[in-house]
Each structure stands twice: as C-alpha cells, then as structure tokens.
Amino acid sequence: MSSRMSAGLEKQEREEDEEEEEEEEEEGESVNPTEVKMSQIVMPCHSNHREELSVGQLLKWIDSTACLSAERHAGCPCVTASMDDIHFEHTISVGQVVNIKAKVNRAFNTSMEVGIQVSCEDLFSDRHWRVCHAYATFVTQRSNTGEKVILKAIVPQTQKEQVEYSLAAERRRVRMLHDDIIKDLLSRGSIQQADSSAVNDAMPAERTRVESVELVLPPHTNHQVNTFGGQIMAWMVNVAIIAASRLCQAHPTLRTIDMFTFRGPSQIGDRLLLKAIVNNAFKNSIEVGVRAEAYQEEGPNRHINSAFMIFEVLDNHGKLCTLPRIRPEPLEGERRFQEAIARKKIRLDRKYIISCKQAEVPLSVPWDPRNQVYLSYNNVSALKMLAARKKWRLSSEKDKVHLYTLEQKSVLSFRVEAEVDVPAHRAFCLLAELSNRPSWDTHYQKCELIHRVDADDFLYRVVTPSVRHGGVGSPTSAKEGEGILQDFILLASKRGPCGSGDPYVIALRSVSLPTHPPTEEYNRGEVLCAGFTILETKNNMSLISYYNQASPEVLPYISNDIAGLSSSFYHTFCSCSQYLTRNRLQSASEEQTCQYQATHTEGPMCANEADRLFVALRSTQL
C-alpha cells in the first residue's frame, strides 16, 4: 500500500516538474543575473551513519549558495538574517548529486529575499526529484563609514519571476506576524495545558538535555571572517539529533526546521555554547529546541540563534513509529511544552493552507484570527499563480470581451478579460467593494460584509441563484423560488501593485465560519480560487481580468459560455464596465480615501523594515 502511494506521489511530482519545465521553456532563455547554481556529489565524509547526506552539511551548501546570490545582487558583503521553514521531503544518499539553485526574488531597502531550490540527481538512473525549497532573508552590511547600503530594485524578467517578486511581499507579512501568532495562541488559552498526571510515567525532559561547546576556527568562518551561518546551523543540528535520540532511543530523521532568525554575529576565537532539549513529543514527531550562545574568555554570553527542529523515527518499512511521552520540567519546561504545541498548530496551518498543492488544499478551510495570515497568503498567491499560467485558450470573444479557459488535470479554470476606460486605482477601489457587486452582477443576489479583518482582508457571505433548474449558464435561468439558492462564505484579500507592470489584485476563496454554518435553506457552495487582476494600460485605462477555478458549484454558471451556447459572460462584463464608468468620477474625499487604501496595501511591502527583521521569534525564548 505504502509503495503504491509513494509511486503515485513520485508520478505526481514528475508531472508537476514537467509542467513547470514546459512553462519555463516557453518563457525563453532569460537568465537571472542573481542566479547561482551549486552541484555537489555526496561523499562518505558528508553523510551520517545511514550513508545519507547529513542535514547540517546540506544547510552549509544552501546558505553558501544563497549568500553568493545575495552578494551578486548587492555588490557588497551580506549576512543571513533569517530562514523560513524548511521541510525536507526526501533524503539523499552517498553517490547522488545535490543541485542547488538560488536567486534573489526581491530586494527591499537593505534586505532581500533569496529563493532556494534543492533537488537530487541519481547519476546511474538519470532520475531527478525535489528535496526541499527555502526562502532566506539577507541583509547588507554597513559600509566602512557606517552608512547603510541601499539595494537596487530587482527587475523580473519572466512571468514566473514576476509572481515570485510579488509574493515575496506576502511572505514578508507572514514572517513579521509569526511571533505574534504564537503569543496570541498562548494568551487566548487556545492550547491545551500539560496534564502532569498523564505524563508521570514519561521520560523527564531533563534527560534529553545536551550541552556542547565549539571553538570557532578559521575554517568555520566565511569570507567576511564571521562564523559561517551554515556552520552554526550544522552544529545546532548535531546537538538536536543527540537530544532527540535520547528520547526515542533510535536514529531520528530531521523532517522540518521552523523559521529562525540570526540575532548577531560571532567571530574567530568565539566559543559557541550549544544547548538542546526536547520541548515536546507528539505521537509521531519530536520538537527539539536549540539555542546557540557565543562568548569570549571574558564577558557575558551573546545569544546568536535559536531554532526548533522536528524529528521523526521510521521503522524498517519506512513507517512512522509511535514515540515515548515526555514529562516537562516545572516552569520553564512547561512553557516550552506549551509553546511547542502552539508551533505545531502553526505548522499544521501552514501545511494545510500554504504548503499543499492546489489540488490538495481543502476548498473551505476554517477561518480564525490565528490562521488569517496563512489564508490571506494562500488567497493572493493562488490567484497570482493562476494568472501567470501560460496555456490559456481563447474559447469565445464578443466586442473585445474575451473568455479564456485553462485545463489542468481535473481542474477547469476560466478567465474573462476586457479593457475599460477607467483608471486602474479607481477600478480597484470599486471592485474591492464586494458589497456593491449585486448592483452589476446578476449572479450575486446578495453580498453582506460579515467581518472586516483588517484594511486588506474581509469576510463576506454571498448568495447566488440556483442553476439546477432551467437553462444552465443563463443569469436569469433561476427565478425566485425555483430551486435552492446557493451561498458562499468568502475571504476577500486586496493588494496594490508591487511595482511597475504589476496589477492590483482582489483575491477570493472560500472559508468556513462557525457563526455561519450551512443551512437547509441554502446549498453551501465553495470557491477554491477566484478574483480580479487590474492592470494599468495606456491612456489611463485598465485591463480587467476575472479568474475562477471552477468548482462544481461554480461551473454551471459558465458551462454554456465555454461551450459557445451562451454569452452571459459578455453581458455580465458589460454590466461591470458600465458600473465602473458610471462611478469613474469621485469626490475629492473619496479619491483621497481610495488612494490611501491602495497605497496602504503596499505599505508592508515597500516600507523600510530591515530593522524589524530580527524581531521575529526574538521574544520566544528557548
């Protein structure tokens, strides 16, 4: 059974890789000037006792490749500020080749995001597979005069690079809020408390504690004579493995490293004190917390880094083993125990919402304030990636209103597009007010605002007519009382453009709310990915595109249009155009508010927040 599932997973990954390669080939041979590639053959000296590449060595190579990419763009020395979550999908054996590719996705002011792709190659079978991907943040070092080095902007060369450039701002939002989410989970009492009576027979956490000292020597430093970040992480992985092994009394596999931040540098001659302890043991995974401190012969210890690593134990058949329970120490141990549960919930949210492929993401994810940042990221990124697809096919056209379709495996998506004589920022403000949509879209009978999450994200309940009776695809086919009406609970996320050539975005996706459960009076529909992109064109006009990944509840509204039996899409878009034209002009106060909202969505993206990069995770003690 497991072998069939594994074969199916590998087949799916190959298909996805082939699809991505085809799209990259279609984009041409454009070379990103910041791209750096590294290939390393895994030798026995790089491996662990199982003749697999040690994660510590892989982290060294990843950090080195990413740093070279960052410095190629900056033209000056750079240091690793933070690394997002890294999930290792596969192990790599001795004799296989590791291929690492890194390039700068976006430069902010004095910091930049570097995207890293790691794949493995078997030289004898000519097989290639993904190992992991990661996003690292690098910051420039100050000049000799103490001034900040301001980075030049990245200019995306391909559609894929444009998407990564835009989504870098969304990922930055996630990083900034990560620590606040953990504190919020703990303060609201959303996390179960440790039951001391239930863990009396468990292993005391104190028995897993590890302390080790490393002396920083010249081979451990980079070209800036600072301790190499990858080397620090390798030492931290080493003590974490020992701590996890003491609990499970087996050889654990490192599966995930939570996002972490480097808090300060260390130099040659520093002693690095590495501390590790098991924070919590779940059914099939262990969280180990690691702390690195640097000190000289005199002076206090300096906190360099903290990281949280997730281990699993596999049996001889590759199945997950059930792990022993852990008994936390009083006070600090109980705090770490609870925080580990909070971090696990965040990891599950990210995996459930962000990390999965679109086909694997449940349509309607429960919404709550703690997972809002991930839902918002998924909402915007899904729409931008859908818009960036290359294989759209023109299905119908009428008076310069175009209907395109895109087939991907079992998913059919459509795009309706036309140019309107309305400025882009004004069209964005009008279409972002979803409550006004029933005035021009006959598919929206009612749209009520449930909750204003923040300035950029909103929750709506939308009621649409039933199309299960009468002519499918016609906006007037479902009269009142004919069939059961449908309703949708939608998260609407609006974003301004990240730069020249980037569109305004209004993304929509289904969520579920306990305050608005399905009822017998309505058939609850779901939307996986939908929304508008609004691109400024010449003569103060806008190219407006509406996208929808057609779920079973949505497809009947558009099926006749796709088949060429109806042109309701044309009438709906004409109605939208008339609505925008009627409201093209606005009062000075409206314009001021609209422009503030449009630029406000860019604030977290474009503001100088380099000094805040080290805030994430800082208040979460090990």
Side-chain angles (χ1 to χ4, degrees):
M1 179 69 177
S2 60
S3 61
R4 288 200 299 272
M5 290 177 64
S6 177
L9 180 60
E10 289 182 4
K11 181 181 178 182
Q12 180 183 350
E13 288 181 351
R14 285 198 302 270
E15 290 175 351
E16 289 167 353
D17 289 341
E18 290 171 2
E19 187 174 316
E20 289 178 2
E21 288 172 4
E22 286 177 6
E23 294 198 354
E24 287 177 359
E25 289 174 3
E26 290 176 3
E27 289 185 337
E29 298 296 326
S30 175
V31 177
N32 188 309
T34 71
E35 184 173 284
V36 172
K37 295 180 180 179
M38 176 186 288
S39 293
Q40 297 278 358
I41 189 165
V42 180
M43 305 298 289
C45 61
H46 302 140
S47 66
N48 56 24
H49 60 283
R50 290 194 294 259
E51 296 189 345
E52 296 170 349
L53 174 64
S54 70
V55 174
Q57 181 62 57
L58 179 57
L59 289 171
K60 289 183 189 179
W61 289 338
I62 288 175
D63 192 42
S64 177
T65 310
C67 183
L68 292 174
S69 174
E71 292 186 342
R72 176 175 287 185
H73 176 69
C76 67
C78 298
V79 295
T80 313
S82 66
M83 187 82 74
D84 288 3
D85 297 2
I86 307 177
H87 180 74
F88 301 98
E89 301 176 27
H90 301 284
T91 56
I92 305 171
S93 301
V94 170
Q96 294 176 334
V97 174
V98 180
N99 295 310
I100 305 173
K101 181 168 66 175
K103 60 182 176 180
V104 178
N105 291 331
R106 183 166 182 173
F108 295 92
N109 196 351
T110 60
S111 67
M112 67 200 98
E113 180 192 273
V114 179
I116 307 123
Q117 298 284 344
V118 181
S119 62
C120 184
E121 174 185 356
D122 191 306
L123 297 173
F124 301 104
S125 64
D126 196 30
R127 288 179 59 242
H128 297 75
W129 60 92
R130 286 194 305 266
V131 175
C132 67
H133 72 272
Y135 297 101
T137 301
F138 282 79
V139 295
T140 55
Q141 289 194 322
R142 292 178 182 268
S143 65
N144 294 333
T145 59
E147 296 180 356
K148 290 184 177 180
V149 177
I150 305 301
L151 294 168
K152 60 185 178 182
I154 287 286
V155 180
Q157 300 296 320
T158 65
Q159 185 67 44
K160 186 174 181 180
E161 289 179 2
Q162 179 66 46
V163 172
E164 287 293 343
Y165 176 90
S166 180
L167 293 181
E170 294 297 313
R171 287 188 286 267
R172 200 180 197 199
R173 290 182 176 213
V174 174
R175 294 181 199 116
M176 296 302 178
L177 293 173
H178 176 74
D179 195 46
D180 291 337
I181 293 171
I182 292 179
K183 290 190 289 186
D184 186 58
L185 281 171
L186 296 170
S187 64
R188 289 173 179 261
S190 305
I191 303 302
Q192 67 185 40
Q193 296 298 309
D195 185 356
S196 301
S197 61
V199 293
N200 281 337
D201 58 343
M203 176 182 288
E206 182 62 28
R207 288 177 55 184
T208 70
R209 185 182 297 276
V210 180
E211 287 195 8
S212 179
V213 177
E214 299 283 353
L215 175 62
V216 179
L217 300 172
H220 303 141
T221 59
N222 57 25
H223 54 292
Q224 302 163 34
V225 201
N226 289 325
T227 311
F228 184 39
Q231 179 63 69
I232 296 174
M233 288 305 301
W235 284 333
M236 295 175 74
V237 168
N238 181 57
V239 293
I241 290 174
I242 296 172
S245 300
R246 287 179 175 173
L247 174 68
C248 63
Q249 297 182 342
H251 296 300
T253 298
L254 179 55
R255 188 62 64 197
T256 302
I257 302 178
D258 273 7
M259 66 170 66
F260 58 87
T261 301
F262 284 97
R263 302 164 186 267
S266 69
Q267 295 83 28
I268 294 175
D270 276 347
R271 281 72 168 168
L272 253 61
L273 175 61
L274 304 155
K275 303 177 182 179
I277 191 170
V278 173
N279 291 333
N280 206 331
F282 305 99
K283 181 179 179 181
N284 300 121
S285 64
I286 305 168
E287 182 192 280
V288 178
V290 191
R291 180 183 176 99
E293 299 175 353
Y295 65 94
Q296 294 282 348
E297 293 182 0
E298 297 180 355
N301 288 11
R302 309 187 311 275
H303 187 186
I304 299 299
N305 194 4
S306 287
F308 302 96
M309 305 182 186
I310 313 306
F311 291 86
E312 296 173 347
V313 178
L314 305 177
D315 63 16
N316 294 332
H317 303 288
K319 294 183 179 180
L320 293 173
C321 296
T322 301
L323 299 170
R325 301 288 299 277
I326 194 80
R327 185 169 71 248
E329 306 168 82
L331 301 178
E332 282 299 296
E334 291 179 2
R335 176 187 60 78
R336 292 193 296 265
F337 187 92
Q338 305 303 333
E339 289 180 354
I341 299 173
R343 282 187 290 271
K344 183 182 180 184
K345 183 191 183 305
I346 291 174
R347 281 192 295 272
L348 290 175
D349 283 344
R350 285 198 294 259
K351 181 179 180 182
Y352 197 57
I353 298 169
I354 295 179
S355 303
C356 295
K357 305 299 178 187
Q358 280 297 309
E360 299 171 352
V361 177
L363 291 185
S364 192
V365 176
W367 180 91
D368 69 57
R370 271 80 66 185
N371 70 2
Q372 162 60 30
V373 64
Y374 311 120
L375 282 168
S376 180
Y377 173 83
N378 173 266
N379 198 16
V380 174
S381 63
L383 180 60
K384 289 191 173 185
M385 287 189 285
L386 178 63
R389 291 293 184 182
K390 291 294 182 182
K391 297 185 179 180
W392 289 98
R393 182 177 62 86
L394 180 63
S395 294
S396 182
E397 178 182 1
K398 185 175 180 180
D399 294 341
K400 297 184 179 180
V401 178
H402 305 84
L403 173 64
Y404 298 88
T405 57
L406 173 68
E407 294 186 46
Q408 299 171 279
K409 299 184 177 67
S410 59
V411 178
L412 176 67
S413 304
F414 64 87
R415 176 178 106 213
V416 185
E417 188 172 85
E419 196 171 26
V420 298
D421 188 14
V422 177
H425 74 273
R426 180 59 178 159
F428 171 68
C429 292
L430 290 170
L431 293 177
E433 285 294 333
L434 215 61
S435 300
N436 294 333
R437 189 161 169 178
S439 66
W440 59 266
D441 188 350
T442 55
H443 296 97
Y444 272 50
Q445 285 194 354
K446 183 180 179 182
C447 182
E448 59 176 320
L449 177 64
I450 297 174
H451 177 54
R452 178 189 174 97
V453 180
D454 53 37
D456 302 325
D457 298 279
F458 307 83
L459 294 169
Y460 290 93
R461 177 175 176 266
V462 175
V463 177
T464 66
S466 170
V467 292
R468 302 193 181 279
H469 302 278
V472 174
S474 169
T476 59
S477 63
K479 298 179 181 178
E480 189 174 354
E482 194 178 60
I484 300 177
L485 298 177
Q486 290 196 110
D487 70 342
F488 299 79
I489 306 299
L490 299 180
L491 170 65
S493 303
K494 62 178 185 177
R495 300 289 187 270
C498 297
S500 177
D502 198 49
Y504 292 88
V505 171
I506 304 166
L508 306 171
R509 64 155 295 159
S510 282
V511 295
S512 61
L513 290 173
T515 56
H516 291 73
T519 62
E520 294 181 358
E521 290 80 11
Y522 296 92
N523 176 41
R524 176 57 55 85
E526 294 184 315
V527 173
L528 174 59
C529 174
F532 294 91
T533 64
I534 305 160
L535 185 64
E536 184 177 353
T537 59
K538 60 183 179 180
N539 300 325
N540 215 20
M541 298 179 68
S542 305
L543 180 66
I544 297 181
S545 305
Y546 175 74
Y547 297 85
N548 201 312
Q549 282 189 339
S551 63
E553 295 84 6
V554 173
L555 188 58
Y557 292 98
I558 199 72
S559 58
N560 277 5
D561 293 297
I562 294 173
L565 303 177
S566 171
S567 59
S568 68
F569 78 94
Y570 169 75
H571 297 294
T572 301
F573 220 89
C574 285
S575 179
C576 175
S577 178
Q578 292 167 8
Y579 162 73
L580 294 175
T581 304
R582 282 196 311 270
N583 295 278
R584 188 180 192 275
L585 300 177
Q586 56 191 339
S587 65
S589 60
E590 284 179 330
E591 183 174 6
Q592 201 171 26
T593 302
C594 183
Q595 288 181 345
Y596 167 76
Q597 290 176 343
T599 55
H600 178 74
T601 63
E602 299 178 48
M605 307 175 190
C606 305
N608 176 18
E609 295 173 337
D611 294 335
R612 295 177 56 197
L613 287 172
F614 298 98
V615 173
L617 293 175
R618 179 165 291 182
S619 60
T620 302
Q621 305 170 30
L622 178 61

